[in-house]
Amino acid sequence: MLLRTVASRPALAMRLTTAAAVNKNAIRTIMGKSMIARGLSTTPVGRSGNPPMSFPCIDRLETRQRDLLSGPEPTYEKVVTGYKVYNHKAPYALDYGGMLKSFDLAYETWGTLNADRSNAILIHTGLSGSSHAHSHPENLKPGWWEKFIGSGKAIDTDKFFVICTNVLGGCYGSTGPGSVDPETENRYATTFPLLSVNDMVRAQFLLLDSLNINKLYASVGASMGGMQALCAAALHSERVGRTISISACARSHPYSIALRFAQRQALMSDPNFNRGFYYDGVLPHVGMKLARSIATVTYRSGPEWELRFGRRRRAPDQPPMLCADFLIETYLDHQSESFCLNYDANSLLYVSKAMDMFDISHSVTERLRVQRANTENMLYANGNNASGVSNGTVCMNVNERPKSATGVSNVESNEQIVDDLVAGVKNAMQPTLVLGVQSDILFPVTQQKEIADILRKAGNKNVTYYELDAMYGHDTFLIDLVNVGGAIKGHLENSV
């Protein structure tokens, strides 16, 4: 952007001459911008008696950027191995008007499906989760929920046939923005259609159809997985026996939407993002790192970090640094750096946006159903030809402006919102466990209480709500084996 704002050399000279007559400091400012635009150092020299600050963090980023010019390939394409793939060969219409000519869904299984195929449990993942929830002979690497799944564990593979997928839109074997579009033989990038959580869940039920599983014993998920579990219970109620929703919501709220928006803005501001078409160039490493730093802050809690890091510095005997100085800063730096090449940036955009748009309300669900039906009708009329089907856009067009009417509010009353939510879950009568964590700032416990409340108001007589006082924040579902695992096991194995 600076290259656009700095004029030609004659214009710049005139600007500098004018500035000299006004303020010498302005010259330094303009020259600094010019030097930045040309990639030159702007370290001050001359009269200052203070040495310039060192920026080892920026040095590392610059080195990493140079390394990325010649590789390495993104490791997310190799993160998960040993999964199976369900290939859906027919066109798949989506809630926001787009479609996929076909799609793949990566999945892994554990345990044995019984004779009447009634013991299947579907585990739904969070935003960046893969299908590898637990290790198995084809992939011995510990899974993301390793301690919760297995013989005698919270989800007992001696009793249940356990399935976990990588969601549609992901990058661990399922079709997503990084996949090759069969129509163009190029990666979709941001020509990939916008997705809803409902789209992800419907794809999972198509997988179940292919496995001849008519009804799940249980639908289980945390975070975005908890959204999917609620969606499965509400929209596929006749096919779900029990529901477990952990640290999730019935509709995304402004605070979590704002946090994910900040992540996407940080990512899209990376010059290498290139509007999503970065696969043949340098990956948006810096933007991904910033986005993950923001996310990591939301996943844990202040009390945990007080105990874990306090105000300790990496080198307390050294002067303060503007780069990572406190131990909490070095933790964020490490966590975000390790994530950069392990997840596709476009998948982060699409899946996080699907989270933002999630709302189980009847009016929203019905509107999406109608939009999808219109796409299906168009496909049918065109003989399953996708011509004329729009895949939408990730960003607002530069000429668009949000519609607003100053002084006029269309916001419903709280009573109307609750009634709409209740209508949205009117079919979700399964025994349901809802878990919340008091230290969770991303999905506060009020949101899990809302899930339990609307289910009860809809007539579900078998809703259990637990609120944990664990200090680990949103990530408690990954850590607290005793409380989270115990609650899951009890709900799955107790007679109803």
PDB file of all heavy atoms in Angstrom, residues 45-52:
ATOM      1  N   VAL A  45      20.129   7.122  12.037  1.00  0.00           N
ATOM      2  CA  VAL A  45      21.575   7.262  12.242  1.00  0.00           C
ATOM      3  C   VAL A  45      21.855   8.718  12.558  1.00  0.00           C
ATOM      4  O   VAL A  45      21.078   9.608  12.246  1.00  0.00           O
ATOM      5  CB  VAL A  45      22.363   6.834  10.975  1.00  0.00           C
ATOM      6  CG1 VAL A  45      22.203   5.353  10.727  1.00  0.00           C
ATOM      7  CG2 VAL A  45      21.898   7.614   9.762  1.00  0.00           C
ATOM      8  N   GLY A  46      22.998   8.948  13.151  1.00  0.00           N
ATOM      9  CA  GLY A  46      23.392  10.340  13.358  1.00  0.00           C
ATOM     10  C   GLY A  46      23.384  10.746  14.803  1.00  0.00           C
ATOM     11  O   GLY A  46      24.070  10.192  15.627  1.00  0.00           O
ATOM     12  N   ARG A  47      22.543  11.751  15.130  1.00  0.00           N
ATOM     13  CA  ARG A  47      22.740  12.491  16.361  1.00  0.00           C
ATOM     14  C   ARG A  47      22.220  11.796  17.617  1.00  0.00           C
ATOM     15  O   ARG A  47      22.667  12.106  18.704  1.00  0.00           O
ATOM     16  CB  ARG A  47      22.047  13.846  16.234  1.00  0.00           C
ATOM     17  CG  ARG A  47      22.558  14.687  15.083  1.00  0.00           C
ATOM     18  CD  ARG A  47      21.753  15.961  14.960  1.00  0.00           C
ATOM     19  NE  ARG A  47      22.093  16.703  13.762  1.00  0.00           N
ATOM     20  CZ  ARG A  47      21.444  17.775  13.359  1.00  0.00           C
ATOM     21  NH1 ARG A  47      20.425  18.227  14.051  1.00  0.00           N
ATOM     22  NH2 ARG A  47      21.816  18.401  12.258  1.00  0.00           N
ATOM     23  N   SER A  48      21.210  10.936  17.510  1.00  0.00           N
ATOM     24  CA  SER A  48      20.607  10.390  18.723  1.00  0.00           C
ATOM     25  C   SER A  48      21.640   9.656  19.559  1.00  0.00           C
ATOM     26  O   SER A  48      22.433   8.870  19.058  1.00  0.00           O
ATOM     27  CB  SER A  48      19.466   9.431  18.360  1.00  0.00           C
ATOM     28  OG  SER A  48      18.959   8.841  19.539  1.00  0.00           O
ATOM     29  N   GLY A  49      21.592   9.929  20.861  1.00  0.00           N
ATOM     30  CA  GLY A  49      22.497   9.227  21.766  1.00  0.00           C
ATOM     31  C   GLY A  49      21.958   7.884  22.202  1.00  0.00           C
ATOM     32  O   GLY A  49      22.632   7.137  22.918  1.00  0.00           O
ATOM     33  N   ASN A  50      20.745   7.541  21.800  1.00  0.00           N
ATOM     34  CA  ASN A  50      20.133   6.272  22.176  1.00  0.00           C
ATOM     35  C   ASN A  50      20.279   5.253  21.058  1.00  0.00           C
ATOM     36  O   ASN A  50      19.974   5.544  19.904  1.00  0.00           O
ATOM     37  CB  ASN A  50      18.639   6.467  22.477  1.00  0.00           C
ATOM     38  CG  ASN A  50      18.419   7.446  23.608  1.00  0.00           C
ATOM     39  OD1 ASN A  50      19.068   7.363  24.647  1.00  0.00           O
ATOM     40  ND2 ASN A  50      17.501   8.385  23.392  1.00  0.00           N
ATOM     41  N   PRO A  51      20.749   4.070  21.376  1.00  0.00           N
ATOM     42  CA  PRO A  51      20.866   3.037  20.335  1.00  0.00           C
ATOM     43  C   PRO A  51      19.480   2.597  19.892  1.00  0.00           C
ATOM     44  O   PRO A  51      18.526   2.645  20.664  1.00  0.00           O
ATOM     45  CB  PRO A  51      21.613   1.909  21.050  1.00  0.00           C
ATOM     46  CG  PRO A  51      21.266   2.080  22.492  1.00  0.00           C
ATOM     47  CD  PRO A  51      21.157   3.569  22.704  1.00  0.00           C
ATOM     48  N   PRO A  52      19.326   2.186  18.645  1.00  0.00           N
ATOM     49  CA  PRO A  52      18.016   1.721  18.173  1.00  0.00           C
ATOM     50  C   PRO A  52      17.626   0.420  18.868  1.00  0.00           C
ATOM     51  O   PRO A  52      18.482  -0.382  19.243  1.00  0.00           O
ATOM     52  CB  PRO A  52      18.231   1.509  16.674  1.00  0.00           C
ATOM     53  CG  PRO A  52      19.702   1.258  16.535  1.00  0.00           C
ATOM     54  CD  PRO A  52      20.361   2.101  17.593  1.00  0.00           C
TER      55      PRO A  52
END
